[in-house]
Amino acid sequence: MSGVPRSIELTADQGKASCRLSGDWLQLHSSASAWEEWEGFWRRNEGEVRQCVFSLDVDSRWDSSLLLFLIASRSKLAEGHVSADFSELPPKVRKLVDFSDARLSAGKEARQSSDKNPWALAHPLVVFAPIFFFWGKWVIALLKVPMGKSFMRWRDLLEACRNCGASALPIVTLIAFLTGLTMAFVGSVQLEKFNATIYVADLVSLAMVREMGALMVAIVMAGRTGASFAAELGSMKIREEIDSLRTFGIPALDFLVLPRTIGLFIMTPVLTLYADVVGMLGGLTVGVQVMEFSHLHYVEQTQSALNNMWEIYSGLIKSLAFGLIIGLVGCYKGMHTGDDSASLGRSVTSSVVTSITLIVVFDALFEVTFSLLGFR
């Protein structure tokens, strides 16, 4: 790639130096001559200058090499007690330099705090504060969607719905069918003692719509989709793609997290309804093939067991909560991954374990709440 060679024009007057940068400050262009000129100037004027003002030619092209030069120059000047003035640089350059300073100072403060108090990481506020901040930012990002101020792309939402929904049908079908099949076999063994095997239809249908449909779909999605979210976002963080989005002024929460969580929130109840039906078909298979009921008799018994629509609604309410939990946990773990592959593996594992734990806990809380409210 051809271009104008980078150059530095240095002048000093009454204790104040001016550093005018011109040419193309790109990684592909050599910077040896510019650095030699820079170091030679400060050797000649050592102790005579107390401030250096930086400026950039309007026709110059630049990339991260310019930022590296400015940061390295400021550090070198600080050793000689010379202040660096970036006020005459373009606003975009100043913004990137400030962003770099904020990251460096935040890391330095975290290391100092950890060194002073080795038990600081165990404090509850340190552990739970990032979780609440992430939740609050997600709510704010969600509220921006109806106002038309969100950076979320609708095609990303549709793609997330496809990945969370249609792509998950094979594994959900297999698990739901085998779950209904197993419950019918286990139930028939006990009900046969009372000559009430027809109530296998009631057992399978009620268990699927109340508990097993939502629970099995949630566990499958936690291991499949939640881990995928953590892996995708964690890989992007390691490759600094999330930092690049922030540099361009695009909130990562709007662009990356929101379509994934909303897509999973929408598709989990749909998959739950599908799993309920497939689980009942598994029970129907056992009832017809093993216990020799007629199809019509088994279906009528299932209909009579589901005459209360609250049985179905309760499972759907749970599935909405489960979908939101899986999406938020997976995205949170991915966004807070460390800088190496080992931390990525830990984030994916932690995403699955945390999601399943919260699913079981919230399932129990829902059951207790429904019982206290008299919905059982």
Side-chain angles (χ1 to χ4, degrees), residues 76 144 226 307 312 314:
K76 197 73 174 177
K144 290 193 294 185
N307 57 0
I312 300 175
S314 62

Side-chain angles (χ1 to χ4, degrees), residues 331-375:
C331 292
Y332 174 81
K333 294 296 182 180
M335 295 286 286
H336 291 78
T337 300
D339 298 326
D340 54 10
S341 56
S343 63
L344 177 60
R346 288 192 297 269
S347 295
V348 173
T349 303
S350 177
S351 168
V352 177
V353 173
T354 304
S355 296
I356 293 177
T357 303
L358 290 176
I359 286 167
V360 174
V361 170
F362 274 83
D363 183 61
L365 291 176
F366 273 119
E367 285 301 316
V368 172
T369 303
F370 292 157
S371 296
L372 292 176
L373 295 176
F375 292 139

Side-chain angles (χ1 to χ4, degrees), residues 100-120:
S100 175
D101 292 343
R103 293 293 300 271
L104 291 174
S105 61
K108 184 177 179 181
E109 290 175 2
R111 288 192 297 271
Q112 290 176 348
S113 175
S114 178
D115 292 339
K116 291 179 181 178
N117 183 10
W119 299 100

Side-chain angles (χ1 to χ4, degrees), residues 173 176-185 188 200-201 204 277-295 298-299 302:
T173 302
F177 185 82
L178 293 179
T179 300
L181 202 76
T182 304
M183 285 192 298
F185 269 119
S188 65
V200 166
V204 174
V277 175
V278 172
M280 294 178 201
L281 290 177
L284 175 65
T285 302
V286 174
V288 172
Q289 299 298 326
V290 178
M291 291 178 280
E292 300 181 351
F293 296 131
S294 67
H295 292 81
Y298 191 95
V299 171
T302 300

